[in-house]
Amino acid sequence: MPPSIQALTHKYLRHNKRFPHVWCPGCGNGIVMGALLRAITRLELEKDEIVLASGIGCSGRMPTYLDFNTLHTTHGRALTFATGIKLANPALNVVAIMGDGDATAIGGNHLIHAARRNLNLTAIIINNSIYGMTGGQYSPTTPFGSTTTTSVYGHIEHAFSIAELTVTAGASFVARSTVYHAALADQLIEQAMMKPGFAVVEIISNCHVQYGRRNKIGNAVDMLASFKEQAVTVKRAATMEKEELRDKITIGVLADRDLPVSTDEYKRIREQARSKREEK
Amino acid sequence: MTEAKRKRCLLQGNEAIVQGALAARCRFFAGYPITPASEIAEQLSVRLPAVNGTFVQMEDEIASIGAVIGASLAGVKAMTATSGPGFSLMQENLGFACATEVPCVIVNVMRGGPSTGLPTGPAQGDVQMARWGTHGDHPIIVLAVSSVLDCFTITVKAFNLAERYRVPVIILSDEVVAHTRESVELPLNSEVKVVDRIAPAMPPDWYKPYQEDARGVPPMASFGDGYRHHVTGLVHDQDGFPTQNPQEVEKFHLRLSMKITKGLSDIQLTKKYYMDDAELFVVAYGSVARSAMRAVEEARQAGIKAGLLHLITLFPFPRRTLTPYLQQCHSVLVPELNLGQISREVQRVNQRQCAVVKLNRVDGKLITPHEIYNRLVKLDAGRVG
Ligand code: SF4
C-alpha cells in the first residue's frame, strides 16, 4: 500500500512554513511534488540525506515547503549550486528542481555541462512550456505558433526537446513523464535518484493559467486530458513515423547507461595526488 | 624553534594566494580560466586533491561562484579566482552570497576594462565594482594585495573574515602583484591563525538559521549535519523563509549591515609609514602602494615630511583611520591605476579639510615611484595640487 497523501504531508511538509503555497489551484507543480515525495519514501532516505536545490519561477518555490536541506538559488543556476554541494559532500542526495525557462534558457549552458560532467545528481525539470511566474512569456519549450504575452502574433521560434537534448549531452539517465502519468513520474524519479551519474526527469506539466487559457486548451483538467491524448510510450514511439510523432509526448526511459561518474572518478584523482605528494 | 623550519621560496603573487588559501583550510575551488588569474586554478587543481579537497573547472564564472556557494553551504571553505570580465559575471551570485550569508572568497586579479579590456597589463578599475557590482544594499569586505607576502597573509585573513562574519570577501589583486616573483618566507601552517564558522550548538529543532543576536552573525549549519533549514536569496525572516513583512524586511537589511559595522576595527586593515609627523601623505593600495612606499622614502630623504597610508581593506572604507590625518596634513595624494575610484572615497571622507590630489594612469603601465615622488615635491612646495 502506498502511503496516503496525508501521511506524506505530515511527514514532509514544513509545518512552520507560512502556508498557503504560491501555486495556482490545479497547477502541475503540486503533482510533481507529490511524485518526488513518494519516490523519496520508497527509497527510504532520511531527510538529512537529501538536498533540494531550485532556481527561480513557480517550480522554484517547491523546496521552501519541504522539510529537507533546501536551497532556492538564483535564476537558472540550481545545477551549479547543486554541483558544489555534491562535490563538497558526496554522501548527500542532491536533487535540482527546475522549470523549463530556468533549466533551458538562462540555465541551458549549465544543463548541458552538468549532463556532460556526469556528477551523481538528479535533475527534475518541470516543463510547462511557459514562464508562469512572470506572466506568461514564451520559453525555449514553447511550441511553434503558440500564443504567449510576448508572442501574441504566434510564436516563430522552435522548441527544445529537453529530454533528447540531455541524452545527447551525455546524461547517464534520462526519462520523461507528464503530470497526468503521476505514477510513472514517481517511478522515474525513484529510478533517477538511484542511478549513479547525472539523471534527468522531464515532467510535462500544466500551466493552465498562463498557457492553457491563452492557447485555448482549457483548464487544468483539460490540459491533463490533452497530456493523456498526446502521450506515447518509448516502446510505441519506436514503431511510429517521425510525422506521426510530431505532436506526441514520448514518455518513459529514454536513456539508461553506465558511464564513469565524475564524483567517483575524483576519488581516483585524490589518491593519485596524495601518492604523488608522498613520493616527494 | 619553528623559525628554523620555515622555508624561503620564490613565489608569484598568484602562487602565494594558493598557499594562503590552503593554509586557511580552503578545500574547494571552482573557477573558469582567465588571464591573469589562471595560475591560481592551475595550482589548486594539483594541490587540492592531495589534501582531500576538490577542484572543479566550471563552464563559466556564473557556474563557478554558484558551485563555491554550494560547497560552502555543505560546510567546506571555498573560493574562486577570476579577472574583470569574469568578476562581472559573478555579480548576481555574489549578491546571493551576501543575502544568504554564505562565507566564500573571490579573488579578482584586475585587468584593464571595460569589456575584454587589457588582459595583460595592471589596472585597478574594479574597485567600485567590487563594492557595488551586485544589486541592492549590502555590506561587503574588499581587501587589496600589494606584495607576494601580502597575497599569502591577506588570503588567510580573507577566509577568516568570511567565516567570522559570514560574508563573501573579495581580494583585489593586479597583474603586477600576480606575476612578480619575490623571495618570501611563509609561516608554517601551525603558525597560521585560522578561524572557522561557528556551528549551531542548540538542538536542531531550536535552530533559527538567521536569528538576530548581539554579534549579528548567526551560527551556520551545513547541509547534511542534521540542522535542516531553508536558504533563499529572497528577503527572509529569521527562520530563513521568504517574507514581505516590512518589519522583517528592514530587520534583514539592518542586521546584514550591523554585523559588519560591529567588526570594523577587526576588518579595516591599513599600514602606516612615516605618518606620525606627516604634513602630506599618500593613500595607496595594490601594486601602487609599493611605488608609493619608495616615493615616500625618497621624499623623506629629501627632507619632505611625507607619509603613506597603505590601504589593505578598501571596503568598508577605513574612514576612522583616515580622518585624523586629513586634519593633520595639508594634502593627500591618491595615485591609482584608474580614473579615481578610491580618491572619491577619500574626498567623501575629507569634507574639504585638506587638498585631495589625484594621480591616475590608465595606459596599462605601472605608476612609478618617480611619478609619485615628483608630485610629492610639487605638493610640498606649493601646498596645492
Ligand atoms: S502560473 Fe502556471 S506554473 Fe505558476 S503556479 Fe500558476 S499554474 Fe502553476
Side-chain angles (χ1 to χ4, degrees):
Chain A
M1 253 280 283
S4 73
I5 278 291
Q6 205 177 41
L8 289 180
T9 313
H10 288 172
K11 181 161 180 204
Y12 290 115
L13 292 201
R14 278 179 165 141
H15 16 113
N16 57 343
K17 170 71 193 84
R18 294 170 202 155
F19 280 93
H21 57 67
V22 298
W23 297 325
C24 308
C27 176
N29 284 338
I31 299 176
V32 178
M33 187 165 96
L36 173 67
L37 293 181
R38 285 187 293 271
I40 287 174
T41 310
R42 285 213 294 260
L43 288 167
E44 295 179 358
L45 293 167
E46 295 292 326
K47 287 180 179 180
D48 288 333
E49 294 175 320
I50 293 173
V51 179
L52 297 186
S54 68
I56 302 289
C58 300
S59 62
R61 294 304 180 97
M62 189 185 295
T64 320
Y65 309 125
L66 298 175
D67 190 22
F68 301 109
N69 302 286
T70 55
L71 176 62
H72 180 216
T73 73
T74 44
H75 190 38
R77 317 302 172 196
L79 281 171
T80 72
F81 286 69
T83 298
I85 295 166
K86 185 70 189 179
L87 285 170
N89 185 355
L92 293 167
N93 285 280
V94 187
V95 180
I97 293 152
M98 297 168 283
D100 46 295
D102 198 37
T104 65
I106 187 164
N109 198 31
H110 306 312
L111 178 65
I112 56 176
H113 286 282
R116 178 189 61 77
R117 189 169 287 126
N118 205 31
L119 286 177
N120 194 4
L121 292 175
T122 305
I124 298 175
I125 304 174
I126 305 175
N127 180 0
N128 58 17
S129 307
I130 197 90
Y131 286 93
M133 191 171 255
T134 48
Q137 301 83 8
Y138 64 78
S139 91
T141 52
T142 300
F144 185 86
S146 301
T147 305
T148 72
T149 53
T150 46
S151 65
V152 288
Y153 305 111
H155 192 37
I156 56 169
E157 297 173 14
H158 305 278
F160 262 143
S161 293
I162 296 176
E164 281 78 1
L165 177 78
T166 50
V167 170
T168 310
S172 280
F173 179 88
V174 179
R176 188 191 278 123
S177 178
T178 81
V179 286
Y180 174 80
H181 304 84
L184 175 67
D186 297 13
Q187 236 181 62
L188 295 177
I189 293 173
E190 185 184 344
Q191 267 176 279
M193 288 184 70
M194 277 189 330
K195 180 77 191 178
F198 191 66
V200 181
V201 183
E202 177 187 7
I203 303 178
I204 309 295
S205 180
N206 59 298
C207 177
H208 47 289
V209 174
Q210 300 290 6
Y211 188 80
R213 184 170 50 93
R214 231 172 245 119
N215 287 282
K216 314 223 158 29
I217 309 174
N219 61 22
V221 175
D222 300 325
M223 286 197 81
L224 289 181
S226 76
F227 296 151
K228 183 188 175 196
E229 276 302 290
Q230 285 173 284
V232 290
T233 61
V234 173
K235 214 169 154 194
R236 231 193 93 210
T239 66
M240 290 165 71
E241 295 296 325
K242 218 174 168 201
E243 228 2 75
E244 288 176 279
L245 280 169
R246 185 193 279 265
D247 291 319
K248 299 291 182 211
I249 302 167
T250 314
I251 57 171
V253 178
L254 277 74
D256 186 355
R257 50 202 173 185
D258 295 320
L259 301 167
V261 178
S262 58
T263 339
D264 300 332
E265 295 297 304
Y266 202 75
K267 286 182 200 147
R268 194 169 47 76
I269 302 270
R270 281 184 178 160
E271 274 156 32
Q272 239 175 298
R274 253 196 303 266
S275 60
K276 225 180 173 173
R277 198 168 68 151
E278 275 153 23
E279 272 170 34
K280 276 195 195 165
Chain B
M1 276 293 282
T2 49
E3 293 295 317
K5 281 189 269 168
R6 279 188 185 177
K7 266 195 287 188
R8 271 217 158 259
C9 39
L10 190 64
L11 288 181
Q12 284 187 338
N14 279 349
E15 292 167 340
I17 285 178
V18 167
Q19 303 268 28
L22 292 170
R25 292 203 287 268
C26 167
R27 291 295 178 265
F28 185 90
F29 179 96
Y32 188 81
I34 187 166
T35 305
S38 294
E39 293 86 0
I40 300 174
E42 286 167 358
Q43 295 218 340
L44 283 168
S45 78
V46 178
R47 300 201 48 187
L48 274 172
V51 291
N52 224 16
T54 308
F55 165 88
V56 63
Q57 185 170 309
M58 297 299 285
E59 53 273 19
D60 58 31
E61 287 86 350
I62 303 174
S64 303
I65 184 167
V68 162
I69 296 169
S72 186
L73 284 167
V76 174
K77 287 191 191 179
M79 78 182 290
T80 184
T82 187
S83 184
F87 191 52
S88 297
L89 287 177
M90 289 180 183
Q91 293 299 331
E92 186 198 10
N93 276 345
L94 182 62
F96 182 91
C98 292
T100 54
E101 301 179 66
V102 175
C104 55
V105 172
I106 298 130
V107 180
N108 175 6
V109 185
M110 290 182 282
R111 62 196 247 173
S115 190
T116 320
L118 204 59
T120 56
Q124 296 179 320
D126 302 347
V127 168
Q128 292 291 346
M129 175 169 66
R131 174 64 193 92
W132 295 113
T134 188
H135 62 285
D137 286 313
H138 60 89
I140 197 113
I141 298 177
V142 181
L143 309 175
V145 288
S146 70
S147 69
V148 172
L149 188 61
D150 258 11
C151 285
F152 180 88
T153 48
I154 302 304
T155 302
V156 172
K157 187 80 192 173
F159 274 98
N160 288 350
L161 291 174
E163 296 286 318
R164 186 174 289 140
Y165 296 99
R166 290 190 61 179
V167 282
V169 175
I170 295 156
I171 299 176
L172 292 180
S173 178
D174 61 59
E175 206 273 336
V176 172
V177 182
H179 289 152
T180 304
R181 282 185 192 279
E182 290 183 82
S183 163
V184 288
E185 190 182 87
L186 300 183
L188 298 167
N189 274 355
S190 56
E191 299 170 301
V192 176
K193 187 173 172 279
V194 174
V195 176
D196 294 319
R197 65 192 69 167
I198 295 173
M202 62 288 276
D205 283 351
W206 296 5
Y207 180 53
K208 291 190 181 298
Y210 299 96
Q211 191 163 34
E212 174 113 31
D213 69 356
R215 219 176 122 246
V217 188
M220 184 171 173
S222 305
F223 285 161
D225 66 6
Y227 292 82
R228 294 186 304 277
H229 64 287
H230 184 55
V231 179
T232 176
L234 289 166
V235 170
H236 40 267
D237 59 20
Q238 59 177 4
D239 292 310
F241 297 123
T243 178
Q244 294 183 18
N245 173 334
Q247 276 163 2
E248 286 173 344
V249 173
E250 189 181 40
K251 230 173 159 180
F252 162 86
H253 283 291
L254 295 182
R255 186 176 58 74
L256 288 189
S257 282
M258 186 268 288
K259 68 178 182 179
I260 299 299
T261 313
K262 284 200 164 169
L264 283 184
S265 56
D266 177 33
I267 297 168
Q268 294 179 327
L269 309 166
T270 54
K271 285 186 205 164
K272 297 169 201 168
Y273 300 100
Y274 308 106
M275 287 301 286
D276 288 348
D277 64 339
E279 290 172 0
L280 74 173
F281 71 114
V282 184
V283 169
Y285 56 96
S287 57
V288 179
R290 309 279 297 273
S291 296
M293 182 72 215
R294 173 78 181 276
V296 165
E297 269 165 5
E298 282 172 15
R300 281 278 167 174
Q301 277 161 24
I304 299 168
K305 288 199 164 174
L308 167 64
L309 187 67
H310 173 183
L311 304 183
I312 291 162
T313 304
L314 302 185
F315 297 104
F317 190 71
R319 173 188 199 120
R320 270 183 284 188
T321 314
L322 198 65
T323 304
Y325 300 113
L326 293 167
Q327 285 158 0
Q328 170 187 324
C329 296
H330 59 80
S331 341
V332 50
L333 177 66
V334 192
E336 292 178 90
L337 297 173
N338 58 46
L339 289 174
Q341 298 198 14
I342 281 294
S343 66
R344 287 172 77 110
E345 299 296 319
V346 175
Q347 237 139 13
R348 182 172 63 80
V349 174
N350 182 45
Q351 305 284 343
R352 298 175 195 276
Q353 295 172 89
C354 82
V356 179
V357 183
K358 301 198 294 177
L359 171 53
N360 309 105
R361 242 185 128 147
V362 285
D363 59 354
K365 297 285 173 223
L366 208 69
I367 296 179
T368 62
H370 197 64
E371 285 172 88
I372 299 173
Y373 173 78
N374 284 348
R375 293 300 283 273
L376 289 175
V377 172
K378 261 203 208 159
L379 286 172
D380 184 57
R383 302 213 152 185
V384 275

